[in-house]
Amino acid sequence: MSEVLSNDQWLEGAWTTIQLTILGALLALVLALAFGLAGTSRLTWVRALNRVYVEFFRGTPALVLLYWFFYALPLVGFRFTPIVAAVLALGLNVGAYGAEVVRGAINAVPKAQYEAAIAMNFTPLQRMRFVLLPQGVALMLPPFGNLLIELMKATAIVSLIGLVDLTRVSKNLQSSLGETVTVFAVVLVFYFVIAQLLQLFVRYAERRVDRMLGRRGGHEPSLESVAAGAPGAGVSG
Amino acid sequence: MVQWDTGYAMDVLPALLEGLRVTVLATLIAYAIALVLGLVWTLLRRAPNVVVRQTVRWITEFIRSTPLIPQLFFVYFVFPDWGLTLESLTAGIITLGVHYSTYTAEVYRAGIADIPKGQWEACTALNLPRSRVWLDVILPQAIRRVIPTLGNYLIATFKDTPMLLAISVHEVLFVAFDEGAKTLRYLEPLTVAGLIFVLVSVISSIIVRRLERRYATN
């Protein structure tokens, strides 16, 4: 038991998992904002861009994307390091869910807000920057929090292309120490702790935004937010 | 540099479709487990006993916030130590089903919370027995509301099946990789596997959107 716990490999593995979570989340956030806002555009071809990206990358499991980036693409001349392939696969996949969240949140800001911004002669950029986005962000945060945890969990797939993350470490330790029960119980607890920490961070961010907008935070999950955070879900509206 | 070879892609297609059969089988059984077990979790979370409520709450929270792959390892490698040896496909299906049951539990819970308070009050006023309150009033309305969301989790379950290859279940991605390894040409099998997933997911999300329109409550 102590032999399992005091092993230095855990730290290395945890660092890989955290690194992939952060990098993947950054890429996903950028893609989600870019393609999500594209989805609220008035131009048909810009909206089409959003649809193609979302349907394609939401429809492909992250693991399939990862294998494709790592094993198939090098054959046509694109070679990625495992880390880059992993960040791309995770970011593109989670970004597609995020884009749906962004699109849904912007569309859910009451229409009168949009009309008021037009009446005050705001430019489209100002409308987005000062009126729609700040209110949309409050709606985006709970589903984004779910997605962040989904992303953290999804990083476990990198163990299958040889990156040494927490999951890989548990498998390696199982082979070398043979303490199957302890090793796999410990790795699950590690993931659970990371998920709880992320949860705390998300709650904190939600409170900050609510205060910024002068709202009271009541966060009993509604049916919509559960639906919006679903790994297979789209946001209606 | 490799050129795309359609002939080769066609050659591996039958093997991939055989893999798809395993994928679909795993998805459907795991999803059935998730639907039933999820409801059990939800009802247990409303049990009168606080110990039961809190235990179920933390168990589901734990399963939901840890990744599928280490869970698969746990079921596949640890359970034999406890005298329960499972075949890899069975272990995969059970793990996937239990994993997603913690998601469906949240969906049912939100669906029940969404029922107007007046419905509960009416039940009290009519002095309905507890079993009738649940079976005839609350659940029929709650489940109807959550059908589209549950549909999304069917797609999500389907998209998580490739992870079963971690314990060597012969599903689509495993077969694609295996075929690629024989010839060292991964491009065609992996691309076709990816296209299969996109195709099935897009078609099923169109169906779910239909469901959403049909069961829309407002």
Side-chain angles (χ1 to χ4, degrees):
Chain A
M1 175 84 192
S2 61
E3 197 185 355
V4 173
L5 277 177
S6 64
N7 206 297
D8 286 344
Q9 291 181 45
W10 288 118
L11 275 182
E12 190 198 336
W15 173 232
T16 309
T17 295
I18 291 168
Q19 218 178 353
L20 284 170
T21 307
I22 295 172
L23 293 175
L26 288 177
L27 178 60
L29 184 63
V30 172
L31 290 170
L33 282 175
F35 283 97
L37 292 181
T40 63
S41 167
R42 271 190 309 179
L43 301 171
T44 318
W45 69 269
V46 179
R47 279 205 312 276
L49 216 62
N50 159 284
R51 283 335 296 165
V52 171
Y53 169 73
V54 169
E55 293 299 343
F56 187 82
F57 285 102
R58 212 174 45 166
T60 324
L63 183 57
V64 175
L65 270 182
L66 180 64
Y67 265 48
W68 200 70
F69 282 135
F70 194 66
Y71 292 109
L73 275 190
L75 298 174
V76 285
F78 296 94
R79 203 166 292 278
F80 300 111
T81 62
I83 281 267
V84 174
V87 171
L88 275 180
L90 293 167
L92 282 166
N93 185 246
V94 176
Y97 292 114
E100 282 298 84
V101 171
V102 171
R103 188 174 69 90
I106 296 293
N107 285 337
V109 173
K111 197 142 193 291
Q113 296 282 333
Y114 175 82
E115 287 160 358
I118 293 181
M120 292 176 73
N121 212 13
F122 278 18
T123 65
L125 204 67
Q126 286 172 324
R127 276 202 307 258
M128 196 48 91
R129 167 76 185 77
F130 296 112
V131 180
L132 299 180
L133 259 187
Q135 298 186 65
V137 166
L139 298 173
M140 288 172 208
L141 275 185
F144 269 177
N146 289 346
L147 284 180
L148 183 61
I149 292 173
E150 288 300 321
L151 173 70
M152 187 279 289
K153 285 164 55 186
T155 58
I157 60 175
V158 303
S159 62
L160 300 173
I161 59 162
L163 271 174
V164 186
D165 72 330
L166 278 173
T167 303
R168 186 82 213 177
V169 169
S170 71
K171 198 75 187 44
N172 290 346
L173 287 181
Q174 184 225 7
S175 324
S176 61
L177 301 176
E179 291 195 51
T180 312
V181 181
T182 325
V183 165
F184 289 132
V186 166
V187 74
L188 287 173
V189 171
F190 268 122
Y191 276 113
F192 181 65
V193 171
I194 297 178
Q196 295 304 308
L197 291 176
L198 288 177
Q199 198 110 280
L200 285 179
F201 166 70
V202 171
R203 294 268 157 73
Y204 169 76
E206 280 170 18
R207 274 203 304 276
R208 279 289 305 256
V209 169
D210 281 336
R211 217 175 306 141
M212 202 175 78
L213 294 173
R215 290 180 184 167
R216 273 184 304 122
H219 282 298
E220 185 57 23
S222 66
L223 184 56
E224 288 93 88
S225 80
V226 172
V235 178
S236 46
Chain B
M1 201 77 134
V2 177
Q3 290 292 312
W4 173 263
D5 182 348
T6 310
Y8 177 48
M10 283 298 148
D11 287 344
V12 296
L13 195 59
L16 289 179
L17 290 180
E18 178 55 28
L20 184 63
R21 203 182 60 82
V22 176
T23 298
V24 170
L25 180 79
T27 307
L28 292 181
I29 303 179
Y31 186 63
I33 296 176
L35 282 185
V36 176
L37 194 58
L39 192 56
V40 173
W41 295 134
T42 309
L43 295 180
L44 282 178
R45 278 200 63 178
R46 304 181 73 102
N49 186 325
V50 69
V51 180
V52 174
R53 281 207 303 268
Q54 289 301 320
T55 317
V56 168
R57 182 179 157 213
W58 284 105
I59 290 177
T60 50
E61 176 72 18
F62 187 87
I63 298 175
R64 200 159 38 117
S65 51
T66 50
L68 190 62
I69 293 176
Q71 287 175 1
L72 287 165
F73 287 159
F74 195 91
V75 172
Y76 190 57
F77 295 113
V78 175
F79 280 22
D81 281 7
W82 296 342
L84 183 65
T85 307
L86 298 167
E87 203 200 323
S88 62
L89 180 60
T90 318
I93 290 174
I94 292 175
T95 317
L96 194 61
V98 173
H99 187 85
Y100 269 98
S101 75
T102 61
Y103 284 90
T104 53
E106 285 301 294
V107 177
Y108 287 126
R109 194 162 76 95
I112 291 170
D114 213 36
I115 303 273
K117 209 168 156 227
Q119 297 286 326
W120 291 100
E121 289 164 353
C123 289
T124 313
L126 290 169
N127 203 17
L128 288 182
R130 246 181 108 74
S131 60
R132 284 205 65 197
V133 173
W134 281 102
L135 292 176
D136 294 340
V137 182
I138 304 302
L139 286 181
Q141 297 185 70
I143 289 175
R144 189 190 156 87
R145 267 161 223 248
V146 298
I147 285 175
T149 315
L150 288 176
N152 279 322
Y153 280 105
L154 175 61
I155 307 175
T157 311
F158 172 72
K159 281 185 298 194
D160 266 358
T161 50
M163 295 196 199
L164 301 195
L165 75 79
I167 54 169
S168 358
V169 172
H170 291 223
E171 48 68 57
V172 177
L173 189 61
F174 183 95
V175 173
F177 187 70
D178 201 43
E179 290 291 325
K182 282 182 200 155
T183 52
L184 289 178
R185 289 182 60 115
Y186 292 104
L187 181 65
E188 291 85 355
L190 287 178
T191 307
V192 175
L195 290 177
I196 289 178
F197 274 104
V198 174
L199 201 68
V200 176
S201 304
V202 169
I203 293 173
S204 23
S205 69
I206 293 172
I207 298 173
V208 168
R209 224 165 293 153
R210 287 250 170 91
L211 281 178
E212 239 158 54
R213 224 166 300 145
R214 185 158 159 207
Y215 289 97
T217 40
N218 37 25

